[in-house]
Amino acid sequence: EKQMTLDIDELGKFAADIVKEAGALLKELRTEPIKLEEKGDHANLVTFVDQEVEKFLVDNILEKYPDHGVVGEEGVFENVLTNFETEWVIDPIDGTTNFIHNFPFYGISVGIVHKGEGLIGVVYNPVTDELFYGQKGNGAYVNGDRLTISPEIQLSEALVATSMFWENIWTKDALHHSIIQLYKETRGVRMVGGAAITLCEIAKGTLNAYIVPMLSTWDYAGGVIILKEAGGSISQLSGSPVSFELGGSILAAHPSIHQELLNMYVDWID
Ligand code: IPD
Ligand code: CA
Ligand code: CA
Ligand code: CA
């Protein structure tokens, strides 16, 4: 293959710049009330802002890096991931429902996967103006400040985020058991939507874990790379490594409680 060696710092700077610009575009395009469309059911929504932000990112990426692969949730441009050495995995708005409701927990997420490994993650929260950045071997940052996960914590001190779709995967009993146990053993449970921002908040230490039975790669690619670099522990609920090619479950946590949470859930997943 004749792909030139990749200048990773340049790539990272470019990614951070276009995500920040995409954030400005998102704010500019926001209308009140925001027009929305349903994608199959009443709770699966998309707006023209999702589509325009994705298009902006894809156009900019392919102009600068025509030999890179891009996959985005809204399918503005799609190619088969494995044909490319370097692949961008994009969620133009992660947390569309929050965006529509003005619930301040949504963001733009980009993960860059190189030879199958997470290389760069960029997540932007347009409400707080926080730009999260992670680069393999180079740490995680929020607006340029280094993010390092807090000292050891106990499960009883942890604030844990989760998400819906439990019911699609588990029986009623298993669902009941797992949610109740989580409430009993932790300090609290939150369902706030927005996988990408959730992962970044764990990197900051405001949340301590995230348990979700099913996500798509674009929901977590950027956030996983950032959280790993901040010192977080991330796997699927089975304990297997997270995949950047296929979606799946996520158990992301402060390293001192990851195994304990894994032990709670591993039995419920086949
Ligand atoms: C959704 C959010 C949500 C998660 C859903 C995702 P979207 O992404 O990340 O927190 O529970 O599974 O689909 O559709 O708002 O980009
Ligand atoms: Ca969506
Ligand atoms: Ca998403
Ligand atoms: Ca989305």
Side-chain angles (χ1 to χ4, degrees), residues 39 45 50 73-74 90-96 107 218-219:
K39 296 204 289 190
L45 303 171
D50 299 73
E73 183 189 0
E74 308 308 340
I90 295 174
D91 197 337
I93 304 180
D94 180 60
T96 296
W218 45 75
D219 299 317

Side-chain angles (χ1 to χ4, degrees), residues 121-123 132-134 140 147 200 203 221-231:
V122 185
V123 172
F132 297 90
Y133 180 84
L147 282 173
C200 293
V224 159
I225 296 164
I226 292 162
L227 179 55
K228 252 197 192 132
E229 281 301 316

Side-chain angles (χ1 to χ4, degrees), residues 25 33 36 75 77 85 117 135 171 180 209 267:
L25 178 67
L36 50 90
F77 178 90
E85 228 181 29
E117 279 198 78
Q135 185 179 317
T171 65
I180 299 288
D267 291 348

